[in-house]
Every structure is written in structure tokens, then in C-alpha cells.
Amino acid sequence: IDTVRHHLAILKKICRLAYKKGYAEKCHFQHFALPKQSERTPRALSRESFEKIRDVEIPAYRKSHMLARDLFLFACYTGVSYADAVSITNENLYTDDNGALWLKYRRGKNGQLSRVKLLPEAVALIEKYRDDTRPTLFPVIPYQALKWCLTSIKMKVGIKGRLSYHMGRHSFSTL
């Protein structure tokens, strides 16, 4: 329904613009009310599912699975989106007057400045992947590969339903 609503909103806007510009003699859909957008509660992990993912043993030869899991955990610890997590650099890290490490970056989605105080677990993940030859803190894994690896991990630990990187971001605020 949300997809249909989205396309109807575009069609209604195009018809309204065509009428305003003089390409149409009638403003079609003028009295058509769009269906209300459905309100969805963001899905977050339970503590049990989070711990299963955190504690799963991944063989060393499955580097992409390990990276996908660690990026997902980074999202759980910081709430940082995938696009931002793979683009942050050492310049985005700073220490406050109390000695706490912070992540300060502009969100790729909207350019808003974000500041996140890093938990010790997030700092450990940054240190795990620290490589001075790479400009970013984390290696880049294509998003489709990340999704596939998360699905594989989900099946390995026995979690029902979907598992997405975005769920890690929502888990940040609930766990």
C-alpha cells in the first residue's frame, strides 16, 4: 500500500504541475485524497538476538561475514548508518576534555552534523580494523554483500524474521 501511495502522490503532483503550467485543462486528482501513510514502529533486536550475533563464532576465512557482523555491531553501539560507517575517517574522531572518544561527522543523507560518544565496544571495533594505509576506519563491503552476510549470520544463530543493518541502528537506542 505504501508503494501505491507513493506512486499516486507522484502522479497527483505531476497532474497539478501540468495544470499550473497550462498543459492540462483540468486539474486531475484534485479531489482525490491519498490514503494515509501507515505508521510503522522501527524494528529493533531483542537483547537475546543481539547477544547471539555478538557472540557467534565466525571462521577466520569468512572475512566478509566477520566484517558484516562487526559493522552491524558498530551500528548497534553507535546508531551510525552503513553509508556513514564506511566513510568515516580518523579526522572524525576526537577526544573531549574528560578523555572520552567521540565520533563527529556529517550525515551523508542530509548533511546534518552528528556527534556520538563511542562506547568501549565501538572503540574496540575501530581498533580491530585500524589500517593506516586505508583512508576510512572500516573496510568497504558492498551493501548487497553485507545484506547477504547478515542473512547468513541470522540463519546460523537461529534468528527468525529479517535482519537488516538498519535494525542495528534502531537497536542502538533500545539496547
Side-chain angles (χ1 to χ4, degrees), residues 34-85:
L34 291 171
K36 295 207 183 292
Q37 251 181 324
S38 60
E39 291 287 325
R40 283 191 247 159
T41 305
R43 291 183 29 208
L45 288 177
S46 66
R47 181 163 300 280
E48 178 187 350
S49 294
F50 167 76
E51 289 171 353
K52 284 181 181 180
I53 293 170
R54 182 193 63 201
D55 299 337
V56 67
E57 292 292 326
I58 299 174
Y61 65 88
R62 297 256 187 215
K63 292 186 186 310
S64 59
H65 284 73
M66 198 174 305
L67 176 58
R69 191 252 337 250
D70 290 345
L71 282 169
F72 180 81
L73 291 175
F74 190 75
C76 291
Y77 296 136
T78 62
V80 174
S81 72
Y82 166 78
D84 295 332

Side-chain angles (χ1 to χ4, degrees), residues 3 18 21-22 26 28 34 44 56-57 63 66 71 73 80-81 87 97 109 112-113 121-122 131 144 158 162-163 165:
T3 303
K21 298 269 185 177
K26 182 179 176 187
H28 299 279
L34 291 171
V56 67
E57 292 292 326
K63 292 186 186 310
M66 198 174 305
L71 282 169
L73 291 175
V80 174
S81 72
S87 65
D97 295 338
K109 182 177 182 177
Q112 292 281 15
L113 183 62
E121 296 86 352
D131 182 355
Q144 286 303 114
R162 282 190 39 218
L163 178 66
Y165 185 90

Side-chain angles (χ1 to χ4, degrees), residues 92-159:
N92 298 113
L93 298 175
Y94 74 96
T95 307
D96 67 11
D97 295 338
N98 298 326
L101 190 61
W102 287 72
L103 180 62
K104 181 179 174 182
Y105 66 99
R106 292 216 172 263
R107 290 203 55 211
K109 182 177 182 177
N110 58 17
Q112 292 281 15
L113 183 62
S114 294
R115 293 179 189 90
V116 179
K117 185 176 182 179
L118 295 176
L119 298 171
E121 296 86 352
V123 174
L125 288 171
I126 290 170
E127 291 302 320
K128 179 179 179 179
Y129 289 98
R130 186 173 295 278
D131 182 355
D132 294 331
T133 63
R134 185 181 59 243
T136 58
L137 295 178
F138 292 102
V140 176
I141 179 174
Y143 190 69
Q144 286 303 114
L146 177 107
K147 285 173 43 176
W148 182 82
C149 290
L150 287 177
T151 300
S152 177
I153 292 168
K154 172 194 80 150
M155 290 174 14
K156 181 175 176 123
V157 300
I159 295 174

